[in-house]
Amino acid sequence: MKLLYQKLRVILWCAAIPIPFLHVSAVSLPNNESVPAVIVFGDSIVDPGNNNYITTLIKCNFPPYGRDFAGGNHPTGRFSNGLVPSDIIAAKFGVKKLLPAYLDPNLKLQDLLTGVSFASGGAGYDPLTAELVSVKSLKDQLDMFMEYIKKINEGVGRNRTALIVSKSIYIVCLGSDDIANTYALTPFRRAQYDIPSYTDLMASEASNFLQELYGLGARRIGVFGLPAVGCVPSQRTIGGGMHRTCFDSSNQAATLFNSKLSYQMDALGKKFSDARLVYLDSYNALLDMIQTPDKYGFEETEKGCCGTGNIEVSFLCNPYSFNTCSNSSNYIFWDSYHPTEKAYYVLSSLVVDNKIKDFF
């Protein structure tokens, strides 16, 4: 049971009127640019269901997940009541309304041509993070991307493939599980590293990944910084004391990593002058939503909608969870770690909209 609980903890997490997913408006792109595809790497925040097709505990392809997806009760493997940022961002760039999981065996060539998500819930920059819960690591995701390139090359030829790869928008979103879980739960990681050196490891892995992605042809790459992970409900429960305040040590680690990630991205931007590396600040956006919920139409900031909202996530958030809320639009968090669809809309707009021009 202790091992099961530890594995559970590893998956805990990277508008006032709810917006139906069919009504997401594409943003205006500069210079009449067009985007052929959106391609995503990361963890549960942007996993649209890849974990459905692998052997792992880190799944959510059952109710009440997907309770509000496409009108109601469609659990898809997205860690939310509805859409996740990979879907919302693809719609913002005018590509498509739902970004599918690459491992979905039903995908057709046309699905691939407009982009997929390789993200796997539970992954991190630290290779150990994915290994602990048997999910797709960042290296695995890069391998899948190489397989993806081969598939579209066979389907539409080298020239069109090169255009898709070079003109697509790439989104990278992970790292929260490294801080909140792998470092916190793995004694030998803490014996090897203090927080400054562990965030050095994460930043180094992030830099290596971005360089490999560039080497495969990616040029328009947005990378989410870590959110205020210490303020998500589960972290309040685990480290916030009897009053469930934000877990400051996790937030401090997140801000330290973010400064290193931003520095590495600036350095790579100078090294690769033809690339557009865009840092996406989710830390301050989520914190503002939590600190001033009225501004965004939220009421509950400290608990998730599912069950008690204090600790339920993945298999603990299930059809038998007691007290699951009836109106998720009042909540920032769906389970104890992942935001609601409404919160993802707000967060994606705050983080991405004013950075669109930087991709071009």
Side-chain angles (χ1 to χ4, degrees):
M1 184 64 190
K2 181 179 180 182
L3 177 60
L4 190 64
Y5 181 63
Q6 287 183 337
K7 287 186 173 182
L8 168 65
R9 289 175 65 186
V10 174
I11 67 170
L12 303 177
W13 170 349
C14 209
I17 301 174
I19 310 169
F21 85 99
L22 289 174
H23 295 161
V24 181
S25 298
V27 297
S28 297
L29 304 183
N31 304 319
N32 295 316
E33 292 275 4
S34 62
V35 173
V38 170
I39 296 170
V40 176
F41 301 86
D43 58 16
S44 57
I45 303 305
V46 288
D47 178 1
N50 282 307
N51 280 14
N52 297 350
Y53 307 102
I54 62 177
T55 303
T56 177
L57 286 172
I58 316 308
K59 293 179 186 287
C60 61
N61 53 343
F62 44 80
Y65 288 99
R67 190 178 75 182
D68 304 301
F69 184 87
N73 296 321
H74 297 288
T76 61
R78 289 168 170 84
F79 288 81
S80 184
N81 60 308
L83 302 186
V84 292
S86 46
D87 303 305
I88 296 165
I89 292 170
K92 283 181 178 294
F93 279 98
V95 175
K96 54 187 173 185
K97 292 179 172 64
L98 296 174
L99 197 73
Y102 175 70
L103 293 180
D104 182 345
N106 297 313
L107 291 189
K108 305 291 190 294
L109 177 62
Q110 285 303 118
D111 300 314
L112 298 177
L113 295 178
T114 49
V116 292
S117 174
F118 301 102
S120 181
Y125 287 113
D126 180 353
L128 180 63
T129 300
E131 184 181 336
L132 285 172
V133 287
S134 302
V135 300
K136 295 296 184 180
S137 68
L138 208 46
K139 180 183 182 303
D140 294 329
Q141 294 180 36
L142 205 62
D143 289 342
M144 288 191 288
F145 178 54
M146 288 188 280
E147 181 182 75
Y148 164 88
I149 293 173
K150 182 179 179 181
K151 286 181 179 179
I152 62 172
N153 186 49
E154 291 171 351
V156 298
R158 183 173 300 177
N159 290 342
R160 188 175 174 193
T161 298
L163 181 68
I164 291 170
V165 170
S166 64
K167 298 295 186 182
S168 291
I169 296 294
Y170 295 81
I171 298 295
V172 181
C173 178
L174 72 169
S176 297
D177 289 324
D178 296 323
I179 294 294
N181 302 289
T182 301
Y183 188 78
L185 295 174
T186 312
F188 74 83
R189 267 300 186 248
R190 294 195 301 276
Q192 288 177 298
Y193 303 99
D194 57 12
I195 283 293
S197 59
Y198 188 66
T199 51
D200 282 343
L201 168 69
M202 291 173 61
S204 175
E205 293 288 343
S207 177
N208 291 340
F209 172 76
L210 293 174
Q211 291 181 74
E212 290 186 72
L213 193 56
Y214 175 88
L216 292 171
R219 294 295 181 268
R220 299 166 169 176
I221 308 170
V223 185
F224 276 79
L226 301 194
V229 66
C231 294
V232 306
S234 62
Q235 293 300 297
R236 290 176 181 270
T237 300
I238 292 166
M242 64 181 297
H243 297 295
R244 297 183 68 254
T245 58
C246 292
F247 192 9
D248 285 340
S249 64
S250 289
N251 281 350
Q252 290 165 5
T255 56
L256 181 59
F257 169 74
N258 287 343
S259 66
K260 294 175 179 179
L261 174 65
S262 179
Y263 176 82
Q264 292 279 13
M265 291 178 66
D266 286 343
L268 290 175
K270 293 172 183 175
K271 181 178 179 180
F272 304 127
S273 59
D274 60 333
R276 297 293 178 265
L277 296 169
V278 184
Y279 176 75
L280 301 171
D281 176 18
S282 63
Y283 187 96
N284 289 300
L286 181 62
L287 199 60
D288 191 54
M289 290 166 63
I290 291 170
Q291 292 176 342
T292 58
D294 291 350
K295 183 162 61 172
Y296 304 104
F298 296 109
E299 297 176 9
E300 179 57 68
T301 65
E302 297 181 7
K303 295 182 178 182
C305 171
C306 187
T308 66
N310 292 332
I311 200 66
E312 292 92 340
V313 66
S314 190
F315 56 82
L316 287 184
C317 174
N318 58 56
Y320 307 103
S321 298
F322 293 107
N323 302 319
T324 295
C325 76
S326 59
N327 187 4
S328 61
S329 65
N330 292 334
Y331 285 68
I332 289 180
F333 295 98
W334 166 247
D335 59 23
S336 70
Y337 202 77
H338 304 94
T340 58
E341 178 185 77
K342 178 184 170 182
Y344 275 142
Y345 274 116
V346 176
L347 187 64
S348 297
S349 292
L350 290 174
V351 174
V352 176
D353 285 6
N354 66 349
K355 292 286 189 175
I356 294 289
K357 65 183 184 304
D358 296 341
F359 283 90
F360 301 97

